[in-house]
Structures are given as structure tokens and as C-alpha cells.
Amino acid sequence: MSVNKDSEYIGEAAKLSANAALTLFLGDFTYNLILALGSIAIARILGSEGYGVFSLALIPPQTLALLTSLGIDIGVARYLQRYSIEKQYKQVIQIVKASILLRIAIGIIGTTICYFYSETLSSVLVNRPGIGGLVKITAIVVFLQLIYNLLLNVFIGFNSFQATSIMKITYSIFKTISSIILLLLGFGVIGALFGNILGYTASLLPAAILVYRNIKRVNQYDTSNNGINLYTLIVLLKYSLPLYMGSLTGIILSIYQNVLLSYSLSEVYIGGYRAMYNFMGLIS
């Protein structure tokens, strides 16, 4: 009798895993396909030099987002799944709230640094002090990218794989369409940068609603005080920071690659390289 129950459990778990994997695969495939095609279209409209400037302007905020991630995303997914299985619903809500508030604080600090030190970052990271104004426009990307990555992992922690795919596809669609429209209206590099910002914004609005609904659903199982305590943050950071330290090598290599390209090549060659890289992503 026990063997039959174990077999049923394993079979159901395998079915759920297969469905989740298929959902994530289709979502990622659609997301990458739209982004790759959109990037190729944007590169064609901007030209190699314009696309090179566009790519360089995004490097400082993306670098700051990488350096300030602190590994929180993986920690959130891990603890949400653990506490959900253990039916510790109060801890589920605390982890979500603590991670979001911590990430908002870090995002605001990172965006502020990127905005006020845009010329310094442009000079040091991409050897282009002249694009400091464009980096100021993209400073908000630090905040948006940090929140975006966090919410993706919150959905994974809740096993809401459809929400993860919807969020990524929404970003890719709005980024691609808005960028192309703004480019066709004659806004040039600034239009492409704003398109990227609009993509994040469009995906975060419905994502925030879905997270709120998940919290509300979990809250019905435990209506006690769900305030955030220091212990929750300590637990999260205790797990996340070692993972972050382990990933620093990859982050530093990525930064080094961008610095090497920007110091060695002109905007024309960088734009051509990035366009070819997007084409390779489409093939993959």
C-alpha cells in the first residue's frame, strides 16, 4: 500500500516538474526570440555607431546592478520554497517583504550613485566621459533591474512559473515595440534607452500585482502580525552573501570584458560586435 502511495507521489512530482520545466522553457524561448529579433531591428535602425553608444550607455547601470545584487535573488527563491513546504506562512510573508524593502533601498542607492557620478562611471567603465548625459537617463535601470530580477525569483519561490514567463515576455515585447517606435519617431539613442526603461516598467506593474495576490493568498493561513524583523534579514543575507561572493569572479570578468572592449574599440566596432552577439543569441 505504501509502495503505491510513494509511486503516486513520485509520479505526481515528476509531472509537476515536467510541466514547470516546459513552462519555463517556452517562456525563455519566446523571451529570447523577441529580444534577439528586437535587438537586430534596433541595431539596423541605429547603425553600428549608434548601437555602440546605446550599448555603452547601459554598461554603468548594469554593472552597478550586478555589484549590488548581494545574491538575494537565489536566497529568496530558496527560502520561499522551504517555508511554503513547511507551511511557515508567516515566514513566507516576512521573507517577501524583507527582500523587497532591502532591494528597494539598495536600488535607490545604486540609482543615486549612477545619476550623480554618471560622468565618472562613463570615464572609468567605458572610457566615454561624453556619454555622461545618457548614463544619467539610464541610472534608473539600476533600480528597475534589481527589482525585476528579485520578482522573477519570488515567483519561482512561489512555484508561479507562468508568472515568471509572463513577466519576461512582457518585458521583451514592450522593450522591443517601444524602442522601435521611438526610433522611428527620430529619438535615436535616447529613444532606444527609454524603450529599455519602458520594458522594465511595463513588466513590473503586473508583477507587483501578482506578488500582492500571492502574499494575500498566503496571509489567509496566518493572520498574525507579519511585521519584518531583523532576524529575517540576517537569515536571508547569511545564505545569500556566500553565494554572492562565489559569483564575484564571474561579475569581475564581465566588467573586465566590457572595459577591455570600450578602451580598445570605437563605437562602430562595439556596435557591430553587440549586434553579432545578439544574432548568436537568436541562433542559440
Side-chain angles (χ1 to χ4, degrees), residues 35 42 46 54 58 137-138 140-141 144 170-183 187-203:
L35 279 185
I42 292 169
L46 279 176
F54 164 76
L58 285 173
I137 294 175
T138 63
I140 190 64
V141 170
L144 295 174
T170 301
Y171 165 74
S172 63
I173 291 174
F174 274 87
K175 175 192 174 182
T176 299
I177 293 176
S178 57
S179 296
I180 292 174
I181 290 175
L182 290 171
L183 285 173
F187 287 97
V189 174
I190 293 177
L193 293 173
F194 269 111
N196 190 45
I197 294 171
L198 290 173
Y200 279 119
T201 305
S203 66

Side-chain angles (χ1 to χ4, degrees), residues 74-187:
I74 299 175
V76 166
R78 188 252 188 181
Y79 279 109
L80 283 180
Q81 290 182 340
R82 172 184 170 181
Y83 290 143
S84 296
I85 292 173
E86 296 175 352
K87 301 187 185 303
Q88 297 186 44
Y89 300 114
K90 183 177 180 178
Q91 295 296 330
V92 169
I93 295 173
Q94 287 183 348
I95 282 291
V96 173
K97 289 183 176 180
S99 62
I100 290 176
L101 289 177
L102 179 61
R103 186 50 67 82
I104 287 174
I106 294 173
I108 291 173
I109 294 172
T111 296
T112 302
I113 292 173
C114 189
Y115 183 84
F116 287 104
Y117 293 93
S118 59
E119 292 186 3
T120 302
L121 291 170
S122 302
S123 179
V124 173
L125 293 178
V126 295
N127 194 31
R128 302 293 192 285
I131 66 170
L134 295 177
V135 174
K136 280 188 176 182
I137 294 175
T138 63
I140 190 64
V141 170
V142 180
F143 177 84
L144 295 174
Q145 185 170 320
L146 286 172
I147 300 298
Y148 175 85
N149 290 335
L150 175 65
L151 294 186
L152 285 176
N153 283 275
V154 167
F155 289 134
I156 291 175
F158 278 127
N159 291 324
S160 301
F161 301 109
Q162 289 183 341
T164 303
S165 296
I166 289 171
M167 186 177 175
K168 296 179 78 171
I169 293 172
T170 301
Y171 165 74
S172 63
I173 291 174
F174 274 87
K175 175 192 174 182
T176 299
I177 293 176
S178 57
S179 296
I180 292 174
I181 290 175
L182 290 171
L183 285 173
L184 292 177
L185 290 175
F187 287 97

Side-chain angles (χ1 to χ4, degrees), residues 36-47:
L37 293 175
S39 297
I40 293 171
I42 292 169
R44 290 291 298 273
I45 297 172
L46 279 176

